[in-house]
Amino acid sequence: MEITFLGTGTSNGVPQIGCKCKVCTSEDKKNKRYRSSIAITNDFGRVIIDTTQEFRLQCIREDIRTLNAVLYTHHHADHILGLDDVRAFTEMTNKKLPIYGSRETLEVIKQAFSYLFKKPINKSPVALIEIHEIYNEPFNLINTDFTPIPVKHGRIECLAYKFNNVVYCTDCNKIPKESEKYFYDLDLLILDALRYSPHPTHFSLNQAIKTIEKYKPKKAIFTHMTHNFDYDEITNILPDGIMLAYDGLKINL
Ligand SMILES: [Zn+2]
Ligand SMILES: [Zn+2]
Ligand SMILES: [Zn+2]
């Protein structure tokens, strides 16, 4: 199994529009962050978590030509707005693409992309999607069990996903008691680490490090980052076993 980081930025992306800070003007590719998403690929296919505004560019950059399903973490714009571009895949297969999410997420998707759920009035193709509402139970895709795990993202709930002893947990500022059992003894924990200062809906860098110290995964990777973090600067201060993600990073499991 391979995990590819399609994007590792917060909702603004990095560089941020109009910003001339050191990171936004940096030449280092590791300081350029599309909105956060990962692709999980194995011999049985490929699943993508979230469709960002750069979904099309991410697929082109990574030469992604096939897609079996999309899982959604929550309904914020930086996680759903690329959905329309799955059309490129469903035009090739002429099959509905399954998308998975909580009831709340799917409700927002149905409003934002209402035309995908109406009978077409002309022959121009739209993305063919099939929605699957998920609860707390695991479900199987590409021969892999995926377990949705509710976590706190300010006032709303976000879903982390566990698969192959890995948890992908973006957009989170608290792991509720009842979800904690999924976070122990992991091979890899991919976690939200927004910026230096505290934020009401995301882990800050210190909070993310403390979370890793608590659950002690074998390895941890931080994602969903602002322009606060210069890749090399943060890498130099991170404890052993923790690294920053960067766009295009691939992890083989
Ligand atoms: Zn986000
Ligand atoms: Zn900046
Ligand atoms: Zn969010």
Side-chain angles (χ1 to χ4, degrees):
M1 176 179 277
E2 185 177 72
I3 298 174
T4 304
F5 285 83
L6 300 178
T8 61
T10 187
S11 54
N12 303 78
V14 181
Q16 206 173 297
I17 293 173
C19 186
K20 292 284 166 238
C21 79
K22 187 176 88 174
V23 175
C24 287
T25 55
S26 160
E27 298 284 320
D28 186 350
K29 277 192 180 153
K30 289 177 178 168
N31 283 332
K32 308 225 179 280
R33 302 178 179 124
Y34 284 167
R35 268 53 75 91
S36 292
S37 168
I38 57 168
I40 301 154
T41 310
N42 67 13
D43 292 342
F44 299 90
R46 178 179 297 110
V47 165
I48 282 178
I49 303 186
D50 294 328
T51 50
T52 78
Q53 291 95 327
E54 286 102 1
F55 175 71
R56 171 180 154 269
L57 298 172
Q58 291 165 332
C59 289
I60 290 168
R61 188 192 71 210
E62 298 300 333
D63 197 21
I64 289 175
R65 295 162 189 230
T66 59
L67 182 55
N68 296 59
V70 177
L71 312 187
Y72 283 101
T73 57
H74 65 304
H75 64 258
H76 285 159
D78 52 324
H79 298 263
I80 69 167
L81 281 186
L83 171 62
D84 188 77
D85 282 322
V86 305
R87 181 164 39 127
F89 295 98
T90 63
E91 272 177 17
M92 286 190 270
T93 60
N94 208 24
K95 275 198 221 147
K96 286 188 173 176
L97 181 81
I99 68 167
Y100 293 75
S102 67
R103 172 173 299 179
E104 191 185 13
T105 301
L106 296 173
E107 282 306 319
V108 175
I109 285 176
K110 279 189 218 162
Q111 285 171 28
F113 298 93
S114 59
Y115 59 94
L116 297 182
F117 299 88
K118 285 182 185 141
K119 236 182 137 114
I121 51 163
N122 59 33
K123 286 202 180 108
S124 55
V126 295
L128 305 173
I129 56 169
E130 178 183 274
I131 60 171
H132 295 260
E133 189 178 317
I134 48 176
Y135 304 96
N136 290 354
E137 295 96 51
F139 51 95
N140 195 279
L141 288 167
I142 59 168
N143 215 28
T144 303
D145 282 333
F146 287 86
T147 306
I149 310 166
V151 295
K152 288 267 165 224
H153 179 29
R155 269 196 289 239
I156 71 160
E157 189 180 275
C158 179
L159 293 178
Y161 287 97
K162 184 167 183 175
F163 52 93
N164 270 20
N165 213 28
V166 173
V167 166
Y168 179 70
C169 179
T170 185
D171 294 59
C172 173
N173 67 314
K174 190 176 170 24
I175 296 160
K177 270 243 155 328
E178 54 283 13
S179 297
E180 284 199 288
K181 58 178 186 243
Y182 299 106
F183 284 79
Y184 288 104
D185 302 316
L186 293 172
D187 291 329
L188 172 62
L189 174 53
I190 303 166
L191 190 66
D192 180 0
L194 187 76
R195 62 185 193 191
Y196 291 115
S197 55
H199 186 278
T201 68
H202 293 272
F203 284 131
S204 66
L205 183 63
N206 275 339
Q207 289 167 335
I209 292 171
K210 284 212 174 84
T211 305
I212 298 305
E213 284 167 352
K214 177 172 182 186
Y215 299 110
K216 300 186 175 52
K218 288 198 185 98
K219 193 179 157 105
I221 302 180
F222 290 161
T223 190
H224 207 284
M225 301 168 285
T226 67
H227 60 162
N228 249 197
F229 299 164
D230 174 75
Y231 189 86
D232 288 339
E233 221 172 272
I234 302 289
T235 296
N236 286 336
I237 59 163
L238 282 177
D240 283 349
I242 307 180
M243 68 176 286
L244 292 192
Y246 56 87
D247 288 23
L249 170 66
K250 288 180 172 58
I251 302 290
N252 283 296
L253 300 164

